[in-house]
Amino acid sequence: TQQAKPAAESITVDPATAGNIAGVVDFKGAVPRLPTIDMTADPGCPQKPQPSETVVVNKGKLANVFVYVKEGLPQGSFAVPSDPVVLDQKGCRYSPRVMGVMAGQPFKILNTDTADHNIHSMPKNNPPWNETQFPTDKPIVKTFANPEMMLPLQCNQHPWMRAYVNVMSNPYYAVSAEDGRFQIKDLPPGEYTLVAVHEKFGEKTLKVKVDPKQTAKADFVFTP
């Protein structure tokens, strides 16, 4: 008979010594020209051409990059937040386009459009689901059991609608904002491998040392 695995120790981080990581994601080179999106077939969607959100660059800064700690964390389990991560369907887009959620954390999907939508998850490491949501429907709440990177969500009715969910086993992640900035807070002091992932440009890796009560700088550069 197999012996049951001992439960992973629950990790608590001492706020008196915790540090942070902060940085900026730069984009160097020519920004790809992507075709605009025609949503006019559905009267519930915007009726003029919309820009693609696959690449969002502002003044040389790259948005929607998922940054997370891949290696260096203590062994054990981290507390899972009870507050949901919220995905909205607004203007016939998913908002936000890129997000993180901890395994087991509630994932809440809203539809604030006047259009009907359909949320189709396409995971590799979690059970898939495919549900229609009308404007008057209550929120759909799901959870993801297993860690998985860049899990795609798509609307079967509006094929340009796509989002990426990163299911994590720890709370140490962030998404770069419109100005390219990101911050990961309350890390135990240590040496970490930090990874930045973009849906089109792939991933970059960086080693970073977090000292007690300090904010370590970690900048990434992506190119076409």
Side-chain angles (χ1 to χ4, degrees):
T1 57
Q2 280 191 317
Q3 284 189 313
K5 278 188 183 174
E9 189 177 340
S10 184
I11 295 162
T12 53
V13 177
D14 181 359
T17 59
N20 308 311
I21 297 171
V24 177
V25 183
D26 284 299
F27 188 82
K28 307 274 193 209
V31 179
R33 298 185 70 139
L34 298 167
T36 56
I37 300 163
D38 181 357
M39 305 183 180
T40 56
D42 188 329
C45 294
Q47 295 297 292
K48 58 183 184 182
Q50 298 295 307
S52 167
E53 290 184 319
T54 304
V55 178
V56 178
V57 175
N58 296 292
K59 298 178 182 172
K61 309 301 179 189
L62 184 60
N64 293 332
V65 176
F66 188 78
V67 184
Y68 70 102
V69 173
K70 185 173 185 180
E71 292 170 356
L73 289 168
Q75 293 298 305
S77 61
F78 291 88
V80 176
S82 55
D83 289 341
V85 169
V86 178
L87 175 71
D88 196 3
Q89 294 162 108
K90 192 173 183 179
C92 293
R93 303 270 205 184
Y94 287 128
S95 177
R97 185 177 177 91
V98 178
M99 70 214 87
V101 60
M102 280 187 72
Q105 183 178 6
F107 181 68
K108 184 177 181 180
I109 303 159
L110 309 177
N111 181 4
T112 55
D113 277 341
T114 56
D116 301 341
H117 289 300
N118 161 274
I119 309 96
H120 183 188
S121 77
M122 295 174 284
K124 293 190 172 120
N125 199 29
N126 285 280
W129 34 266
N130 189 356
E131 295 194 21
T132 296
Q133 192 176 34
F134 300 110
T136 52
D137 284 352
K138 64 181 188 204
I140 293 170
V141 180
K142 299 286 186 184
T143 55
F144 300 95
N146 306 310
E148 180 167 350
M149 299 304 301
M150 297 298 277
L151 188 164
L153 302 181
Q154 188 154 335
C155 177
N156 291 353
Q157 286 163 260
H158 306 108
W160 63 83
M161 284 180 68
R162 185 166 266 247
Y164 295 91
V165 181
N166 296 276
V167 186
M168 306 298 294
S169 58
N170 69 71
Y172 298 114
Y173 52 82
V175 179
S176 66
E178 296 258 318
D179 62 0
R181 294 180 186 275
F182 68 89
Q183 186 172 30
I184 298 173
K185 295 182 177 179
D186 302 325
L187 276 151
E191 296 188 12
Y192 297 103
T193 300
L194 201 62
V195 179
V197 185
H198 186 269
E199 63 180 273
K200 183 171 176 67
F201 302 123
E203 68 177 50
K204 305 279 182 186
T205 302
L206 201 63
K207 299 279 190 187
V208 60
K209 184 171 186 281
V210 176
D211 291 317
K213 300 298 284 180
Q214 300 298 310
T215 295
K217 191 169 161 53
D219 295 337
F220 290 93
V221 178
F222 282 84
T223 52

